[in-house]
Amino acid sequence: MNHISIISLFSFFVLSQCYPKTEGSFSYSFPDRYSLEEMEKVNLPKKLEEISGIEWISENKLWAIEDESSVIYVLNPNTAEITTTQKFAKNADIEEIMVYNNDAWALKSNGDIYQISNPFRDSMKSIMYNFPGKGKNDFEAMIKSNTGPNIWIFCKDCNSDKGNEVASVYSFNLESMSFDNKPKKVLNATDLKSILNEKELKNIRIKPSAIAYHPIEHHFYLLSSSDNWLMVLDQQLTPKEFYKLDPAIFKQAEGITFSPDGTLFISNEARGGKPTLLSFPYTPSMIKD
């Protein structure tokens, strides 16, 4: 290879790195208060190849679940060490975990919710509440509402939803301990009209896989692993921001949580490689006015 060819190849390589990677009509992006360059990654144990939900508990402690057994794993996010486990039911497809009033709450893919009292104690007790919806349903995201005594669960593929552009959100009342029969809200791709252009909207599928509440911004962060996006919503679940995620980094993002200082954690299923836990420090000074 001659001198000119070497220079040309080098110039091509450098210039190619300057352009954002794209998928269809999108450029990959991420919230500006989190830096991909400051991301820390740890490979998770083989037991968590199908990791499907995470919840921040305290410093150096996350709870995690995977979708082939009804087990809560206590995980050190810095070392990826599993320190203890808790079996709470017969093996089931468990997709999400959260904590409320010192109880663990787990979401089964068909919409059933488990309330796990006194986890990691001899007095542990698990109660399951059946989702009333008929037909085939697939839920992967669950969050405690901050506007009332309710848990919201988000359809990924539900019998009542027609098309890939919509996803129903159902409510479970923590006082009556029962589900509402009708959706609280229906997320629709058209809700993104103020954020995305017409060409971008045509390529959006509303397939939620995980959700978490930001403790500082007071917004919800909603993930989609099947459509590789991150959406920021207000407390009424109205979309405010939308980011197309790079699948080279977020290969199957199915878990999300925050620590009180705003540190963002996202977990990826193995998907032919190793499961990973990504963490991003919060830099509020990067937020645009």
Side-chain angles (χ1 to χ4, degrees):
M1 183 179 293
N2 60 38
H3 182 66
I4 294 177
S5 297
I6 293 174
I7 293 175
S8 299
L9 181 60
F10 176 78
S11 299
F12 172 80
F13 175 79
V14 171
L15 289 171
S16 68
Q17 304 309 303
C18 297
Y19 292 97
K21 291 178 284 185
T22 61
E23 182 179 275
S25 58
F26 285 93
S27 296
Y28 299 138
S29 56
F30 206 58
D32 57 9
R33 52 270 192 198
Y34 292 100
S35 171
L36 294 176
E37 287 72 26
E38 295 183 20
M39 178 187 78
E40 295 186 6
K41 180 176 77 171
V42 293
N43 291 327
L44 297 175
K46 186 176 178 63
K47 288 182 179 180
L48 293 174
E49 282 188 337
E50 301 295 323
I51 187 169
S52 54
I54 54 176
E55 178 80 325
W56 188 91
I57 301 300
S58 62
E59 188 174 359
N60 299 326
K61 184 184 291 186
L62 298 180
W63 283 1
I65 46 95
E66 53 88 32
D67 63 11
E68 292 187 353
S69 64
S70 303
V71 173
I72 303 173
Y73 296 85
V74 179
L75 179 70
N76 185 316
N78 301 308
T79 64
E81 177 188 6
I82 295 173
T83 57
T84 188
T85 60
Q86 173 72 75
K87 183 84 172 176
F88 62 87
K90 293 182 179 180
N91 286 357
D93 185 0
I94 306 298
E95 294 291 348
E96 182 74 287
I97 186 169
M98 55 168 269
V99 176
Y100 175 67
N101 278 356
N102 297 317
D103 290 342
W105 296 78
L107 175 65
K108 193 175 176 180
S109 60
N110 66 356
D112 296 344
I113 293 178
Y114 292 91
Q115 179 186 10
I116 304 122
S117 303
N118 301 317
F120 306 101
R121 298 180 183 176
D122 293 339
S123 56
M124 188 278 295
K125 182 180 179 181
S126 176
I127 301 173
M128 186 177 73
Y129 301 94
N130 297 109
F131 178 68
K134 304 298 182 182
K136 184 178 180 180
N137 297 299
D138 185 9
F139 293 84
E140 293 193 358
M142 173 177 66
I143 195 74
K144 166 67 176 65
S145 162
N146 60 337
T147 58
N150 301 293
I151 293 174
W152 296 336
I153 62 174
F154 294 69
C155 285
K156 181 182 177 182
D157 289 293
C158 280
N159 185 61
S160 59
D161 291 334
K162 308 302 179 183
N164 293 322
E165 297 78 24
V166 296
S168 294
V169 182
Y170 287 86
S171 184
F172 177 83
N173 188 284
L174 290 162
E175 293 179 344
S176 65
M177 304 304 278
S178 62
F179 284 96
D180 291 343
N181 289 320
K182 295 183 179 180
K184 167 198 164 45
K185 185 179 179 68
V186 177
L187 302 179
N188 197 312
T190 58
D191 297 337
L192 296 164
K193 281 185 176 181
S194 62
I195 304 172
L196 304 179
N197 62 45
E198 188 173 334
K199 183 178 180 181
E200 291 169 335
L201 279 172
K202 290 181 180 180
N203 297 312
I204 296 299
R205 297 183 301 148
I206 306 299
K207 301 288 184 182
S209 59
I211 190 170
Y213 186 68
H214 199 293
I216 299 172
E217 298 177 8
H218 306 297
H219 285 157
F220 294 103
Y221 279 50
L222 184 66
L223 277 176
S224 174
S225 63
S226 60
D227 207 33
N228 292 106
W229 51 249
L230 173 66
M231 192 188 305
V232 179
L233 308 101
D234 67 15
Q235 296 184 28
Q236 287 71 48
L237 300 180
T238 301
K240 297 298 180 183
E241 303 170 28
F242 185 90
Y243 304 94
K244 195 68 175 178
L245 300 178
D246 185 350
I249 301 171
F250 305 96
K251 57 183 177 179
Q252 190 162 342
E254 298 210 357
I256 184 171
T257 191
F258 294 95
S259 65
D261 66 1
T263 299
L264 168 63
F265 298 88
I266 293 178
S267 60
N268 287 293
E269 288 193 9
R271 201 172 186 178
K274 293 182 178 180
T276 60
L277 179 68
L278 312 178
S279 62
F280 306 85
Y282 184 52
T283 311
S285 60
M286 297 176 68
I287 300 177
K288 299 177 181 178
D289 294 331

